[in-house]
Amino acid sequence: MSCIFIFACDNTAPPDTAKLEPITIASATKDGVVPWGMVNEVFERTNVLEKNGLRGSFVHCDDSPDLLWTMIHGDVDVGLITTGVMGSLTVAGRPYELISTSGAGGRIALMVPTDSPAQSIKDLKGARIENPILGGLLERFLSFEDLGPDDVQAIGAYRYDGSAEADMLAGKTDAIMHWDPYVERLVASGKARILVSDPYHLEIMMAASSIATRPKLGVQFLVAQREAVRFMLDHTEMVAGWYAETSGVPAADALAALPYSDIYTEGFGKDIAAVHVSPTEHHVNDLKGVVGAMGQFGVLRTIRAKVQKRGVPGLEPIESDNIDISTYINWDLPRAADAALDPNSYDPESVKVTNPKGGVPKLRCRGKKKRRRGPRGVK
């Protein structure tokens, strides 16, 4: 067998696709959720799903708002998401279970131009702040200095193409809420600085119906996730290149942002034992804090109203703004997946590149034709 791509040299017989369990995986590909974007590239371009008995179909959403609505409509088995999406899903009434947490994915920061007179949050009273973050984080940042939403001019937009930074640097806005890799890019350029930051978090939710009807599916997927993360950490430059092809985020920007994720800081240079998927007490407390802020600052109420307005069939949005995230956690699946791989016998070379050019058929994402500017997004 000839091989022109070193990682594709796999002489083992391909799995019988008729015996593979189908799974539909959704992710946001273009708005800079770097760790999940890179992991999803491994799912699509290697045999990591097939070696765990799975046949993947993929939904590429441009951004987190579209991903949210795709999952609300119940179109997928699994979603690679952030906490704003997770909190929104719980109040929307679509039954999903949290099957994995991976800690911080990067930073969300309140930023100002380098030459801005604002030196602290209190200096932003009356400021024009572009805010795409639906998790209530801007409101929480403002509360640090006894400011409230009415003390600033919050501009709702979900832009990640450079236009938001350009508007701030041109003086059209005074500050921006942004996330890595864009935070790191702005800081490195010397054109903007951080007033305050907090991490956004990475989760995976699985449709409750998939868990109920195919009880082995979740463990198979989570084992594949652990292997995909391990492969990504062992081949970061190659996978960042793949991610750049799909997302438009330069590989250098992805690599610069990756060290701000827990996936990288906890697992880089280590074996498979360092890649775990079970929720920790620290992770759960972080999620409770974010979703609590979403309730406190009216975000859950906004999502509930949107779901009711759209009239999504079969959904009964939850009326309460006090969501207990712990009731949505499936502890059994991640614990089984964490126990499934023996680091002493695991062979990382068993994951092979089988589709180096990508191009796996994609399923439809809801909301592809949506505007770029309008109601706030989720992170």
Side-chain angles (χ1 to χ4, degrees):
M1 176 183 179
S2 62
C3 181
I4 59 173
F5 194 92
I6 186 169
F7 292 103
C9 297
D10 181 9
N11 292 314
T12 59
D16 184 349
T17 56
K19 296 180 179 179
L20 298 177
E21 188 71 23
I23 186 169
T24 304
I25 303 167
S27 63
T29 58
K30 295 185 178 180
D31 62 353
V33 183
V34 171
W36 275 162
M38 292 178 66
V39 168
N40 196 65
E41 292 298 324
V42 179
F43 286 150
E44 295 194 22
R45 303 198 195 210
T46 75
N47 67 337
V48 71
L49 292 175
E50 288 81 359
K51 74 188 291 286
N52 285 287
L54 302 173
R55 181 177 70 253
S57 298
F58 299 92
V59 180
H60 277 198
C61 295
D62 283 353
D63 50 44
S64 296
D66 286 352
L67 174 59
L68 168 62
W69 286 104
T70 294
M71 295 183 70
I72 285 176
H73 280 271
D75 295 341
V76 302
D77 295 307
V78 168
L80 309 183
I81 62 173
T82 54
T83 313
V85 175
M86 181 201 67
S88 300
L89 281 173
T90 59
V91 79
R94 177 67 64 188
Y96 282 89
E97 296 182 23
L98 182 68
I99 64 169
S100 174
T101 61
S102 293
R107 298 165 296 176
I108 295 176
L110 178 55
M111 308 187 73
V112 295
T114 302
D115 58 1
S116 168
Q119 299 299 316
S120 68
I121 296 171
K122 66 182 179 182
D123 297 328
L124 292 178
K125 188 170 184 178
R128 299 159 297 173
I129 305 176
E130 183 159 324
N131 178 34
I133 311 301
L134 191 55
L137 190 55
L138 173 60
E139 292 85 348
R140 186 152 64 87
F141 284 165
L142 293 173
S143 71
F144 294 165
E145 297 286 352
D146 296 321
L147 297 181
D150 293 337
D151 291 315
V152 300
Q153 301 175 51
I155 301 168
Y158 197 82
R159 297 191 290 167
Y160 44 87
D161 57 1
S163 57
E165 299 104 293
D167 279 358
M168 181 181 71
L169 296 175
K172 296 180 180 179
T173 57
D174 302 302
I176 186 173
M177 289 284 286
H178 229 342
W179 59 91
D180 282 316
Y182 313 111
V183 169
E184 179 62 16
R185 183 175 68 190
L186 271 172
V187 170
S189 73
K191 296 178 180 179
R193 52 187 168 83
I194 297 172
L195 288 183
V196 61
S197 68
D198 204 44
Y200 72 84
H201 300 90
L202 304 172
E203 296 86 38
I204 294 178
M205 295 193 87
M206 189 171 192
S209 58
S210 301
I211 295 173
T213 58
R214 296 184 286 168
K216 295 181 180 179
L217 187 69
V219 175
Q220 290 172 285
F221 172 77
L222 290 176
V223 172
Q225 179 204 340
R226 293 183 68 198
E227 294 191 74
V229 170
R230 178 73 272 145
F231 184 93
M232 182 264 284
L233 293 174
D234 289 340
H235 309 291
T236 52
E237 291 190 6
M238 179 175 67
V239 180
W242 293 345
Y243 175 62
E245 293 172 6
T246 300
S247 68
V249 174
D253 288 357
L255 291 170
L258 198 58
Y260 294 100
S261 70
D262 287 348
I263 282 178
Y264 183 92
T265 58
E266 294 175 2
F268 186 74
K270 301 177 183 178
D271 62 27
I272 195 71
V275 181
H276 45 79
V277 293
S278 293
T280 66
E281 182 179 358
H282 174 67
H283 290 168
V284 173
N285 287 337
D286 284 341
L287 304 187
K288 288 180 177 179
V290 173
V291 177
M294 293 176 73
Q296 178 184 355
F297 296 113
V299 178
L300 297 182
R301 188 162 54 251
T302 299
I303 292 295
R304 183 187 305 115
K306 288 182 178 180
V307 172
Q308 291 169 334
K309 183 177 180 179
R310 288 198 180 194
V312 181
L315 285 194
E316 291 289 340
I318 295 173
E319 292 299 328
S320 175
D321 288 338
N322 297 313
I323 303 295
D324 183 0
I325 284 300
S326 61
T327 63
Y328 291 85
I329 300 175
N330 184 312
W331 297 96
D332 295 334
L333 296 181
R335 286 170 177 168
D338 278 338
L341 293 176
D342 180 0
N344 296 317
S345 60
Y346 178 69
D347 178 13
E349 298 300 320
S350 63
V351 179
K352 309 286 186 181
V353 175
T354 52
N355 185 34
K357 293 185 178 181
V360 173
K362 311 300 188 302
L363 303 179
R364 174 177 174 264
C365 178
R366 301 272 179 170
K368 281 282 186 182
K369 295 182 180 180
K370 284 196 327 184
R371 73 288 167 275
R372 275 284 163 255
R373 193 170 180 87
R376 288 184 297 165
V378 291
K379 183 65 74 237

